[in-house]
Amino acid sequence: MGEHKMKKALILSTALSAVAFAASAEQITVMSWGGAYTTSQVEAFHKPFTAETGIGVVSVDADNPATPLKAMVEANNVSVDVVDVNTSDAVRLCDEGQLEEIDPAMLPAAPDGTPATEDFLPGALSDCAVGNIVYSMIVAYDESKFPNEKPKTIGDFFDTDKFPGKRAMWKSAKTTLEMALMGDGVPAAEVYDVMGTPEGVDRAFAKLDAIKGDLIWWEAGAQPVQLLADGEVAMTTAYNGRIFAAAVSENKPFVPIWDGQVYEYDLFVIPKGAPNLEAAKKFVAFATGTQPLADQAKWISYGPARKSSAPLVGLYQDGKTEMGPNMPTAEANLTNALPSSYEFWVDHDTELEERFNAWLASN
């Protein structure tokens, strides 16, 4: 080979190596909620995605990822590519033009060929979001605090005479008001009809008034589990997956109460101006495939958002705990369960949060 050709070959080889390095160095940033939930995503989504595509995944967490997402987009300084948010935030952010639209045609079909649009559970797909899990806010208690009769219902959470001890709740109008009404005897199926009236909202706050002196408020998902573990509260509202992880992985004496659970989807969205848009789309398509969603359930007790994933859900990572009965979507857990209404919260979020914060500040 002539010297000129050798130089050209060397330059070409160097260029190809640089391209290969750049490809291997490609990475995206995924923002989620932390704790056992992020761990489940890292194991079921991030690691396999990197193994298949060579695209790295940086994981960051926030107490509510919708808040920093909105701030980044409004500042035109977006540093994350994919964000995990709840349904009402997904709809609101999409309506405000802060998210990229996601074409469902880019999502993989089920193993039997069923299109993604028919395989996802109702409400799990929207213009800018793809559902990954069904989770719920539940009541849980420390069994050691109640040696005799055990709490069984959402009403028991509000009965501090029969079941004494401090309580903890999420510092948010959302789910707190719904649970207050169910604790006051409103059936799950009627909650939003009641909450849609001034009298119904008054009734929810009156129920909270009755235990206000015994309430501690939490803001991040890890806090209620810690409050139970430290003995600061006897009962708390919490994400069901956090309670499951503490009970099964850490042998904590925590027991879930499924009566009055409020369940909804978490979904992946891509913020407008995501720095790695195409790689972000690849990640969303991969992570919401049938097998990855089923695999996530090995790590946390949240139900997959695809029908085809359900039969593939097996044992927890301990190799012995059946995950099916621990899912919010298990039939036995849906007796008096409330699907969170994103339509209601999109319409009423601002006014009810303002009233809730004013109520917190009052004596």
Side-chain angles (χ1 to χ4, degrees), residues 250-332:
E250 302 170 31
N251 296 311
K252 299 291 186 186
F254 302 163
V255 181
I257 295 174
W258 291 102
D259 180 65
Q261 66 152 311
V262 182
Y263 67 90
E264 66 175 295
Y265 294 109
D266 255 26
L267 312 94
F268 284 129
V269 299
I270 300 173
K272 187 74 81 173
N276 303 287
L277 179 58
E278 292 309 311
K281 288 180 178 178
K282 287 179 186 175
F283 175 83
V284 172
F286 176 89
T288 59
T290 296
Q291 191 62 54
L293 289 183
D295 289 343
Q296 186 185 16
K298 294 176 185 173
W299 296 89
I300 200 162
S301 58
Y302 295 144
R306 288 185 85 133
K307 299 169 194 169
S308 61
S309 301
L312 304 178
V313 171
L315 299 176
Y316 186 54
Q317 56 177 313
D318 63 4
K320 57 186 179 183
T321 305
E322 284 284 351
M323 295 304 287
N326 293 292
M327 298 290 179
T329 48
E331 189 173 354

Side-chain angles (χ1 to χ4, degrees), residues 26 44 92 175 255 274 326 346 356:
E26 185 178 7
R92 177 175 53 81
T175 74
V255 181
N326 293 292
V346 166
F356 178 73

Side-chain angles (χ1 to χ4, degrees), residues 1-296:
M1 184 184 289
E3 186 178 345
H4 179 65
K5 287 186 177 178
M6 285 182 67
K7 281 184 177 177
K8 283 184 70 176
L10 182 61
I11 290 168
L12 179 61
S13 172
T14 304
L16 288 173
S17 296
V19 169
F21 176 78
S24 67
E26 185 178 7
Q27 65 181 27
I28 60 170
T29 300
V30 177
M31 178 181 284
S32 192
W33 299 76
Y37 183 48
T38 290
T39 298
S40 74
Q41 293 182 325
V42 169
E43 296 297 334
F45 307 153
H46 301 189
K47 290 179 180 178
F49 175 72
T50 298
E52 181 168 304
T53 66
I55 299 171
V57 181
V58 176
S59 180
V60 295
D61 297 319
D63 290 346
N64 181 356
T67 304
L69 183 161
K70 182 177 172 69
M72 285 181 192
V73 175
E74 289 180 347
N76 198 26
N77 184 25
V78 180
S79 60
V80 296
D81 300 292
V82 178
V83 182
D84 188 296
V85 300
N86 63 37
T87 308
S88 56
D89 284 330
V91 173
R92 177 175 53 81
L93 292 167
C94 188
D95 287 347
E96 292 173 357
Q98 296 183 324
L99 303 176
E100 299 284 348
E101 291 200 2
I102 297 176
D103 183 355
M106 77 176 209
L107 304 174
D112 66 359
T114 301
T117 50
E118 297 172 29
D119 190 38
F120 277 85
L121 295 169
L125 293 180
S126 61
D127 290 344
C128 306
V130 182
N132 50 62
I133 54 101
V134 181
Y135 73 93
S136 74
M137 187 75 77
I138 60 168
V139 166
Y141 64 91
D142 180 341
E143 196 169 23
S144 68
K145 294 283 196 281
F146 305 104
N148 301 313
E149 188 177 356
K150 311 295 183 187
K152 296 182 179 64
T153 69
I154 184 74
D156 292 339
F157 179 84
F158 291 90
D159 190 345
T160 51
D161 292 330
K162 187 175 181 180
F163 299 101
K166 292 280 188 181
R167 309 293 201 253
M169 296 189 86
W170 185 27
K171 196 176 182 180
S172 169
K174 188 179 178 184
T175 74
T176 299
L177 297 180
E178 289 101 318
M179 286 180 149
L181 286 175
M182 287 187 283
D184 201 40
V186 178
E190 299 172 19
V191 164
Y192 287 111
D193 289 338
V194 174
M195 267 178 72
T197 67
E199 297 79 14
V201 175
D202 289 345
R203 181 175 173 181
F205 278 104
K207 190 67 175 176
L208 292 171
D209 271 332
I211 63 166
K212 190 173 186 180
D214 290 309
L215 278 172
I216 294 173
W217 299 98
W218 60 266
E219 297 181 66
Q223 289 175 312
V225 177
Q226 195 61 51
L227 288 167
L228 274 183
D230 291 345
E232 291 190 44
V233 299
M235 301 174 72
T236 186
T237 64
Y239 298 120
N240 74 286
R242 302 275 188 158
I243 295 299
F244 174 87
V248 176
S249 298
E250 302 170 31
N251 296 311
K252 299 291 186 186
F254 302 163
V255 181
I257 295 174
W258 291 102
D259 180 65
Q261 66 152 311
V262 182
Y263 67 90
E264 66 175 295
Y265 294 109
D266 255 26
L267 312 94
F268 284 129
V269 299
I270 300 173
K272 187 74 81 173
N276 303 287
L277 179 58
E278 292 309 311
K281 288 180 178 178
K282 287 179 186 175
F283 175 83
V284 172
F286 176 89
T288 59
T290 296
Q291 191 62 54
L293 289 183
D295 289 343
Q296 186 185 16

